[in-house]
Amino acid sequence: MKLSAEQIQSNWEIFNNNINDHVTGDRKQKLLDFYKKYEERIILMPASHKKEYHSAFPGGYVDHVNRVVDASLKMYGVWEQFGMDTSTFTIEELVFSAINHDLGKMGDEEHESYIPQTDQWRRDKLGEEYMHNKKIAFAAVPDRGLFLLQSHDIKYTFNEMLAIQTHDGLYDSANEKYLKSFMPETKPRTSLPFILHQADMMAARIEFEVEWLPKFSQNSVAAPKKNYTLSNNIKSSKSKALNTISSPGLKNMLDSL
Ligand SMILES: [Fe+2]
């Protein structure tokens, strides 16, 4: 899958609008500054390193995160409708967690986690468009994301810490201590982690379907893709998109898409 320059730019505007619309206090500007600082890396990041996973293409990360924010807000409505106690966390905590849930995928301050795969065989046979950058020490995605936030003096609440930490649900056995407890005292005190996990799982699953299901319909014409648009999608022309970017390097990259 390939996003156009306009889609990539529009996604970046939505990403920043989500911060502007939902994050409050002095951490709002700190978060905007953080993402401005790493803009050129994040705007073109894939959401995963392998095309069998999801959104392993330039711009896939922001596209995925925006979908998770949108899905989290809609999922909140479903849980509310079914009687969830909405007093145990805030919408800001939900959106902040969704915006930053996969932040650890960016790598550290100096190095990206995913760099283009140099081994053609692995590209062709294993579908690995990207490979892990050996220059950075291993850390689980939630751990690195939380470390990046604290090292840039961006405070997060206990609820946000727990939601980001457990966003993979029980797909990550490290989360069993929070999610597989049979004692009421040790269960999460809010439904926030479950909402974020459901939103993330749904987004990744749909990204997989859009990317892969048409390829599985052999000997038949693939069904036309459903046009998914985010509720706060922003229309912009390519020239407008490119005009808003100050970096000549980034401009060139986007222009060539
Ligand atoms: Fe995710």
Side-chain angles (χ1 to χ4, degrees):
M1 192 165 150
K2 194 176 172 185
L3 294 178
S4 67
E6 293 92 331
Q7 286 169 312
I8 288 177
Q9 181 59 25
S10 169
N11 281 345
W12 189 237
E13 287 174 30
I14 292 169
F15 184 92
N16 281 284
N17 285 345
N18 282 332
I19 298 175
N20 268 314
D21 292 348
H22 294 284
V23 181
T24 60
D26 66 346
R27 70 177 183 163
K28 177 185 190 161
Q29 196 53 50
K30 284 180 180 169
L31 200 56
L32 288 168
D33 291 346
F34 171 84
Y35 282 111
K36 185 72 193 162
K37 183 177 173 186
Y38 296 108
E39 176 179 80
E40 297 201 5
R41 280 172 57 180
I42 291 173
I43 203 168
L44 289 174
M45 255 170 63
S48 63
H49 78 292
K50 203 170 178 176
K51 63 185 179 192
E52 277 78 355
Y53 296 167
H54 67 104
S55 301
F57 48 80
Y61 175 82
V62 177
D63 189 64
H64 168 70
V65 169
N66 288 350
R67 188 169 292 102
V68 174
V69 172
D70 198 22
S72 295
L73 289 167
K74 290 191 169 72
M75 206 68 84
Y76 178 94
V78 175
W79 279 68
E80 186 180 28
Q81 209 179 339
F82 277 80
M84 171 185 68
D85 181 351
T86 55
S87 71
T88 57
F89 67 96
T90 66
I91 297 287
E92 174 172 352
E93 288 180 313
L94 175 65
V95 176
F96 181 94
S97 304
I99 288 171
N100 298 297
H101 80 281
D102 271 342
L103 174 60
K105 289 182 174 177
M106 79 166 252
D108 63 17
E109 286 87 346
E110 305 295 323
H111 306 290
E112 291 161 76
S113 277
Y114 305 125
I115 54 176
Q117 177 59 263
T118 52
D119 185 328
Q120 195 59 41
W121 186 89
R122 295 193 76 89
R123 258 180 197 267
D124 296 343
K125 304 293 182 200
L126 305 176
E128 292 178 0
E129 300 288 312
Y130 296 86
M131 59 184 185
H132 285 289
N133 189 348
K134 296 181 185 68
K135 287 183 179 163
I136 58 173
F138 170 77
V141 169
D143 294 338
R144 196 186 294 287
L146 291 167
F147 179 79
L148 282 165
L149 290 172
Q150 69 81 30
S151 62
H152 288 79
D153 198 26
I154 299 163
K155 290 200 163 46
Y156 45 84
T157 67
F158 181 86
N159 282 345
E160 290 160 351
M161 184 269 299
L162 196 58
I164 291 171
Q165 192 72 56
T166 62
H167 76 263
D168 271 334
L170 287 172
Y171 287 109
D172 182 346
S173 58
N175 295 331
E176 288 183 4
K177 59 187 177 292
Y178 289 114
L179 305 178
K180 218 174 171 179
S181 164
F182 300 106
M183 293 168 65
E185 298 87 342
T186 58
K187 287 178 189 290
R189 302 287 169 97
T190 90
S191 295
L192 170 58
F194 303 97
I195 296 178
L196 180 63
H197 172 53
Q198 284 189 342
D200 186 34
M201 187 174 61
M202 185 180 78
R205 169 65 203 183
I206 290 168
E207 286 156 21
F208 164 80
E209 288 189 358
V210 169
E211 178 85 22
W212 285 94
L213 293 194
K215 294 175 187 169
F216 295 152
S217 26
Q218 291 172 353
N219 304 323
S220 64
V221 179
K225 280 179 191 170
K226 238 175 158 176
N227 243 344
Y228 174 81
T229 42
L230 292 165
S231 56
N232 52 349
N233 205 357
I234 297 165
K235 305 269 179 222
S236 63
S237 66
K238 185 170 184 174
S239 57
K240 185 190 161 222
L242 293 171
N243 281 340
T244 59
I245 296 169
S246 53
S247 156
L250 183 58
K251 235 177 199 174
N252 278 341
M253 270 191 279
L254 288 174
D255 200 21
S256 64
L257 286 167

